[in-house]
Amino acid sequence: ETVMTQSPLSSPVTLGQPASISCRSDRTLVDTDGNTFLSWFHQRPGQPPRLLLYKVSQLFSGVPDRFSGTGAGTEFTLKINKVEPEDVGIFYCMQATHFPFTFGQGTKLELK
Amino acid sequence: EVLIVESGGGVVQPGTSLRLSCVASGFDFSSYAMTWVREIRGKGLEWVAGLNNNGLSINYGESVKGRFAISRDNSKNTVFLHMTSLRADDTGIYYCARNGSAGIFDSWGQGARVDVSS
């Protein structure tokens, strides 16, 4: 299976400051049609995950534009340009190019 | 409004079976793939299984292959996850989600808790 590795695993941040999370795969996530199925999810304690971005950089409906995604091939990044209190929680990347789909370990975002 | 509700969770002994159900409403269920994802305490999220809109294309995560079976009944807007040979490391919260396309898990239920313990 495709192994997804996130870093850091924990990120203390200051409100209003930017944050960045890296996600790497052990093989390319580009499929034979040239699509890259890399999604980002956010999960608050006691809540189901929520989709933030899909296909690397596509912002899901209703997600604030302070979130952005970049990357290609095997290296991807989620950026938050100004952290808000509601961003506290765990962020996961997930690849859906190869079966079985696989998640990264998660990055816990907490306030300093 | 899209609504997804899981049921069937509980406390079971190792080696036994359990069937989870996921009832969806608020969208054309037969047009969407569906998926199960579980949250294991201390380990994060793990993709369990998924099937396409007509249930003919099915895939499983490595750790459940051969033990779990996913199916759907489009006449009842329901997806099932039949879990057999349950182990302690299957303990967690099982979420059902709509799969808009590969990796677009855009709507989730609140989850069903499964506790495998003796």
Side-chain angles (χ1 to χ4, degrees), chain A residues 1 37 39 41 43 46-51 54 60 92 94 96 99-105, chain B residues 35 37 39 43-47 59-62 95 99 101-106 108-110:
Chain A
E1 67 180 33
F37 297 106
S39 300
F41 297 87
Q43 187 178 29
Q47 295 290 317
R50 168 196 174 204
L51 177 66
Y54 60 95
F60 183 60
Y92 296 93
M94 187 198 79
F99 283 113
F101 298 165
T102 44
F103 286 90
Q105 320 95 301
Chain B
T35 197
V37 173
E39 178 188 353
K43 290 185 65 178
L45 299 178
E46 180 184 8
W47 182 76
N59 288 276
Y60 297 98
E62 291 295 329
Y95 295 103
N99 184 0
S101 181
I104 305 179
F105 299 169
D106 58 4
W108 297 66
Q110 288 299 309

Side-chain angles (χ1 to χ4, degrees), chain B:
Chain B
E1 180 196 0
V2 173
L3 186 62
I4 293 173
V5 180
E6 303 92 340
S7 62
V11 181
V12 295
Q13 293 192 329
T16 60
S17 301
L18 195 64
R19 190 181 78 162
L20 302 182
S21 299
C22 162
V23 178
S25 60
F27 63 99
D28 181 10
F29 181 77
S30 64
S31 293
Y32 283 85
M34 298 294 291
T35 197
W36 287 94
V37 173
R38 66 185 182 184
E39 178 188 353
I40 307 293
R41 184 180 292 183
K43 290 185 65 178
L45 299 178
E46 180 184 8
W47 182 76
V48 175
L51 75 178
N52 70 340
N53 66 314
N54 61 20
L56 296 182
S57 178
I58 291 175
N59 288 276
Y60 297 98
E62 291 295 329
S63 62
V64 305
K65 199 178 290 187
R67 299 188 300 124
F68 289 12
I70 188 172
S71 61
R72 66 190 294 161
D73 183 342
N74 284 350
S75 70
K76 296 180 179 177
N77 285 15
T78 302
V79 181
F80 302 99
L81 185 67
H82 188 204
M83 305 182 291
T84 65
S85 302
L86 282 162
R87 312 184 302 222
D89 62 1
D90 293 317
T91 294
I93 301 173
Y94 285 70
Y95 295 103
C96 177
R98 186 176 78 171
N99 184 0
S101 181
I104 305 179
F105 299 169
D106 58 4
S107 296
W108 297 66
Q110 288 299 309
R113 191 174 296 269
V114 173
D115 184 350
V116 183
S117 63
S118 52

Side-chain angles (χ1 to χ4, degrees), chain A residues 1-2 18 21 30 32-33 36 44 52 63 73-74 82 86 90 92-93 97 102 108:
Chain A
E1 67 180 33
T2 304
I21 299 169
V30 182
T32 53
D33 293 326
T36 302
R44 299 188 184 106
L52 297 176
V63 175
T74 61
K82 290 180 184 178
E86 59 266 31
I90 303 177
Y92 296 93
C93 61
T97 297
T102 44
K108 188 171 187 178

